[in-house]
Amino acid sequence: MTAKHLISAAVSALVAGSVSTAAQAEDLTLCWAAWDPANALVELSRDFEEKSGHRMKFEFVPWTSFADRMLNELNSGGQLCDLMIGDSQWIGGGAENGHYVKLNDFFDANGIDMGNFIPATVTGYSEWPKGTPNYYALPAFGDVVGWTYRKDWFERPEIQAAFQAEHGRALGVPATLEELRDIARFFQGREIDGTTVYGAAIYTERGSEGVTMGATNALYNYGFLYENPDKPYDLEGFVNSEGAAAGLEFYKDLYDTATPPGSSNWYMSENIDAYKSGQVALQMNFAFIWPGVEADPNVGGGKSGYFPNPAGPAGQFAQLGGQGISVVAYSTKQDAALDYIKWFAQPEIQARWWELGGYSALRAVVEDPGFAGSAPYAQTFLDSMAIVKDFWAEPSYADLLLAMQQRLHNYVVAGQGTAQEALDGLVQDWTEVFEDEGKI
């Protein structure tokens, strides 16, 4: 509750002959995914409750059902959520379908400058249409696909010697995707401490978004583009370019030659489990897992290292994750929800958010001279957020994602057809979606 509201409430109470302002407080429900950062947000939000008088409730849903549950809630005009930390892909639908409150006037009135946030997170989490100053969320949680590796294994003299003999170079953080594949293959089936280990845990999950969130880290770096940069929704030759096909072939080869048996449907949690249990030398995963890795008794405390997604022939990019926080248009408590946004945007709150394990997108936090040394993975987070690309954020993103999931999984995991055929088919699928929307 703002100071102005507190004064107003006090005056009203005196007029009514009451000494209590409790009636002015609201119970707010914030909806997000059920994962470690959500627990950190509960802790952080206690400060808001103390300062505002509002009481926070939370609706956290597992990632596997988060989109279905929350998009159904929005599409039905439900009033469960006052605040929504929705995926970056939801911003187009949230804006065009009227699910999210446009925040421009609120930002202007409260001195919230989007130039103070990491540019990629503003574009990815807040803007619609992309590239325009129309904001429907405040960047809430910066996230990106990166890599974790068993630094303690890499540093063993006998392993270093074996790798040097096999590849003619030192074993270290890979600069390119091909070097990463070499390392993963090197560890594939190797015995360490009496246990057979494998190369890399990568995303292959079929049901939600996993294989897409994984394969794009190769596709982008081999030349895949979502559309013609000069002509929106012009897909032919960009989605299915020769380079894009090579990138998809690379990802399938990595899966075929350097991943654990039975990893045909893995996403975030399966990769975490494989890494923490000592099954793999490398793990692809979103940056949100890194605090948990550091705290883990088996792989933390200096046993693990972190690096950004390596470069490919067409450049160095990484798949953006993360979310913005929006006020739900169907909420009857929008003023109180906006109070939360204003509180959350404060630099001191954002600094505390990072300390608790949240990934702040505020430049004052991440550009602080002490940030890079504040955690073993902090520099990797900065480097990774500088190279991000994201999936479509169109209102039809779910149909676009479903098609890509099917095409990629059928090729990468099931081995059906060729990479070129998979991407040619994806062009057909996406063209139909955009034709149905009247955009082409």
Side-chain angles (χ1 to χ4, degrees), residues 152-197:
D152 55 340
W153 292 358
F154 277 44
E155 292 174 345
R156 292 190 183 189
E158 70 276 15
I159 291 178
Q160 288 182 339
F163 187 85
Q164 180 75 40
E166 184 173 321
H167 291 283
R169 67 175 188 272
L171 174 60
V173 170
T176 67
L177 287 173
E178 288 195 0
E179 289 181 4
L180 182 147
R181 181 173 56 187
D182 287 344
I183 294 170
R185 287 175 174 173
F186 171 79
F187 279 101
Q188 184 78 352
R190 184 169 294 273
E191 186 174 300
I192 296 180
D193 298 333
T195 300
T196 300
V197 304

Side-chain angles (χ1 to χ4, degrees), residues 129-391:
K130 298 297 184 185
T132 68
N134 296 287
Y135 306 121
Y136 293 86
L138 182 87
F141 189 87
D143 208 357
V144 57
V145 172
W147 292 85
T148 317
Y149 72 101
R150 287 298 299 264
K151 185 178 178 183
D152 55 340
W153 292 358
F154 277 44
E155 292 174 345
R156 292 190 183 189
E158 70 276 15
I159 291 178
Q160 288 182 339
F163 187 85
Q164 180 75 40
E166 184 173 321
H167 291 283
R169 67 175 188 272
L171 174 60
V173 170
T176 67
L177 287 173
E178 288 195 0
E179 289 181 4
L180 182 147
R181 181 173 56 187
D182 287 344
I183 294 170
R185 287 175 174 173
F186 171 79
F187 279 101
Q188 184 78 352
R190 184 169 294 273
E191 186 174 300
I192 296 180
D193 298 333
T195 300
T196 300
V197 304
Y198 301 96
I202 67 173
Y203 290 165
T204 57
E205 182 262 1
R206 169 68 178 85
S208 61
E209 63 177 13
V211 70
T212 298
M213 295 293 101
T216 48
N217 295 281
L219 288 169
Y220 296 152
N221 294 350
Y222 275 79
F224 170 97
L225 296 174
Y226 284 101
E227 58 189 342
N228 182 344
D230 299 320
K231 185 180 178 183
Y233 312 112
D234 178 20
L235 312 177
E236 183 67 40
F238 298 91
V239 171
N240 58 344
S241 66
E242 182 178 340
L248 190 54
E249 288 169 354
F250 169 89
Y251 198 74
K252 176 174 174 52
D253 187 62
L254 183 63
Y255 169 72
D256 287 340
T257 64
T259 61
S263 60
S264 61
N265 196 38
W266 282 17
Y267 197 18
M268 294 178 281
S269 60
E270 291 83 3
N271 287 15
I272 293 170
D273 291 344
Y275 185 79
K276 288 185 176 180
S277 63
Q279 294 181 54
V280 294
L282 299 157
Q283 173 193 191
M284 162 189 281
N285 225 321
F286 284 108
F288 84 88
I289 70 157
W290 293 339
V293 169
E294 277 302 302
D296 187 83
N298 295 322
V299 298
K303 294 179 182 178
S304 293
Y306 313 89
F307 60 89
N309 191 48
Q316 184 176 14
F317 305 99
Q319 176 60 52
L320 181 69
Q323 302 88 36
I325 182 169
S326 300
V327 175
V328 177
Y330 314 114
S331 168
T332 60
K333 306 168 186 176
Q334 291 183 18
D335 286 345
L338 289 168
D339 287 344
Y340 188 91
I341 299 281
K342 181 179 179 180
W343 164 84
F344 186 70
Q346 297 174 93
E348 61 269 27
I349 299 302
Q350 287 290 304
R352 178 63 176 154
W353 182 218
W354 168 252
E355 292 172 3
L356 290 172
Y359 278 59
S360 174
L362 188 68
R363 293 174 61 185
V365 174
V366 302
E367 294 176 0
D368 183 275
F371 179 84
S374 65
Y377 44 81
Q379 186 63 55
T380 299
F381 173 69
L382 286 178
D383 294 342
S384 298
M385 290 302 295
I387 59 171
V388 292
K389 286 192 175 188
D390 200 12
F391 188 75

